[in-house]
Amino acid sequence: MSKQESRSRIEQALAGVSGVHVTPYQEDGRINHQLLSKVVDDIAQSGVHNIVTGGNTGEFYALTLDEIETVYRLAVDSNRGRSVVTAGVGRSQADAIHLTHAAQAAGVDAIMVHQPPDPFASPRMLTSYIRGIADETDLPIIAYARNPGLAPGDFAALAEIDNVVAIKYAVPDPLRMAECMRATQGASLLWICGLAESWALPFYAYGARGFTSGLVNVNARLTMQFHQALEEQRWDEARRLIDLIADFEDMRTLEQNGTNVTVVKEAMRLQGSDVGPVRPPGVDRLHAPQAHALNNILEGWSSAQA
């Protein structure tokens, strides 16, 4: 496959669903390799277009660098070429470059650069940070943007980096995104909703065709139904499905988003797949009343999809 054909395949996948897999743990806290392989296999079987390994739903910042490299290899092997696989890299620029090399060696298709969580990170220096990573690989790069301080000019600068193919925009402000998109007109740059299904509908209206999902770990069928509704412009159906998952997504925002991964993992446990707790500083387990409420949500989905 030529470089252009590879880029075209990745761009097509990014315009669909980017499913971010969880990282399961054993009772002793180590990564559960067998269960991780099953999680990735299930997501690939569902038809998810892009599998993100080393993402936030996978607890990227709670894993050691060695563990992240292991997760990359397991994800690529378990996918078996069915979906595109994108590896999240980040932390210090040196760590991000190290992980980029490891991800490329594992056989991923693209790199997603996490926005640095450094409290003193400058929005305008994000371009320099990503350029340093891009210089180390010829793989397509997705820039993960979570900072509302990023200005349209910052994205215009990112668009000038040859192998930056997409922006994963995770700021809950579609109007701001549209302004930033206008600044990159003429560039071959995709925009992805980085705030999951809940924000995908308004983002889609502004031109961000793809969206990320942690829900795929729990109910990939629901996610794929929603994506199909967007693609077929069945807006009433899309809104119905958003209403169906609203309580689930709201629960993920508790404790300043500290339950984001916890709700996904607890839902998987309630479905019979105990992937272990969330590592600190995320919330490890839900309280009993919260778990009960979550179980009611899952039962409601079963009734609605019957």
Side-chain angles (χ1 to χ4, degrees):
M1 185 182 296
S2 70
K3 185 175 180 180
Q4 184 56 44
E5 288 173 333
S6 176
R7 177 163 177 159
S8 177
R9 173 175 177 256
I10 289 159
E11 289 176 343
Q12 185 176 1
L14 293 176
V17 176
S18 291
V20 191
H21 71 76
V22 300
T23 301
Y25 305 122
Q26 303 178 100
E27 289 186 6
D28 62 6
R30 293 183 297 173
I31 293 174
N32 187 326
H33 293 195
Q34 183 176 358
L35 191 49
L36 192 152
S37 293
K38 183 181 184 305
V39 168
V40 173
D41 180 61
D42 288 345
I43 293 173
Q45 284 192 56
S46 75
V48 164
H49 311 92
N50 175 39
I51 296 175
V52 180
T53 184
N56 284 334
T57 305
E59 300 175 71
F60 175 78
Y61 290 102
L63 301 176
T64 67
L65 297 186
D66 286 344
E67 286 177 324
I68 294 169
E69 292 181 40
T70 297
V71 167
Y72 292 162
R73 292 192 296 270
L74 287 169
V76 171
D77 291 347
S78 304
N79 175 54
R80 301 196 302 277
R82 288 168 289 181
S83 303
V84 162
V85 176
T86 296
V89 306
R91 306 186 186 185
S92 72
Q93 191 177 60
D95 285 343
I97 290 170
H98 170 83
L99 289 173
T100 295
H101 292 159
Q104 190 155 4
V108 305
D109 301 290
I111 298 295
M112 179 192 73
V113 180
H114 285 277
Q115 184 168 314
D118 190 316
F120 301 123
S122 162
R124 69 180 177 85
M125 290 304 292
L126 180 64
T127 302
S128 176
Y129 175 80
I130 292 178
R131 190 183 300 278
I133 299 165
D135 287 344
E136 295 290 328
T137 182
D138 57 359
L139 288 175
I141 287 177
I142 300 104
Y144 190 177
R146 297 179 60 89
N147 189 335
L150 288 167
D154 296 319
F155 292 101
L158 282 174
E160 293 176 357
I161 303 173
D162 287 342
N163 48 340
V164 171
V165 301
I167 304 295
K168 176 182 171 181
Y169 198 74
V171 179
D173 188 344
L175 289 175
R176 178 67 164 177
M177 183 187 72
E179 183 183 1
C180 295
M181 291 175 74
R182 286 194 293 273
T184 63
Q185 282 182 348
S188 179
L189 195 64
L190 294 172
W191 290 74
I192 303 165
C193 172
L195 295 167
E197 290 86 350
S198 297
W199 284 90
L201 182 55
F203 276 48
Y204 192 95
Y206 280 100
R209 289 293 183 260
F211 63 90
T212 58
S213 174
L215 177 62
V216 294
N217 294 277
V218 180
N219 194 327
R221 179 184 168 198
L222 188 53
T223 296
M224 298 307 288
Q225 285 178 333
F226 175 64
H227 175 260
Q228 187 174 1
L230 290 180
E231 288 292 281
E232 295 175 358
Q233 299 184 13
R234 292 184 288 116
W235 310 126
D236 287 345
E237 175 66 1
R239 285 191 290 269
R240 182 189 74 81
L241 292 169
I242 286 297
D243 289 344
L244 192 61
I245 67 171
D247 289 342
F248 178 84
E249 292 296 331
D250 284 348
M251 188 174 284
R252 296 178 69 189
T253 67
L254 298 175
E255 299 192 42
Q256 297 184 12
N257 291 311
T259 58
N260 192 295
V261 184
T262 320
V263 169
V264 173
K265 284 193 159 186
E266 183 68 13
M268 296 175 76
R269 185 188 68 79
L270 290 169
Q271 292 177 331
S273 179
D274 191 347
V275 291
V278 172
R279 287 181 178 177
V283 174
D284 57 349
R285 298 278 193 184
L286 295 180
H287 298 307
Q290 295 171 325
H292 179 72
L294 179 58
N295 190 58
N296 288 340
I297 292 171
L298 299 179
E299 290 180 351
W301 290 352
S302 296
S303 299
Q305 290 185 292

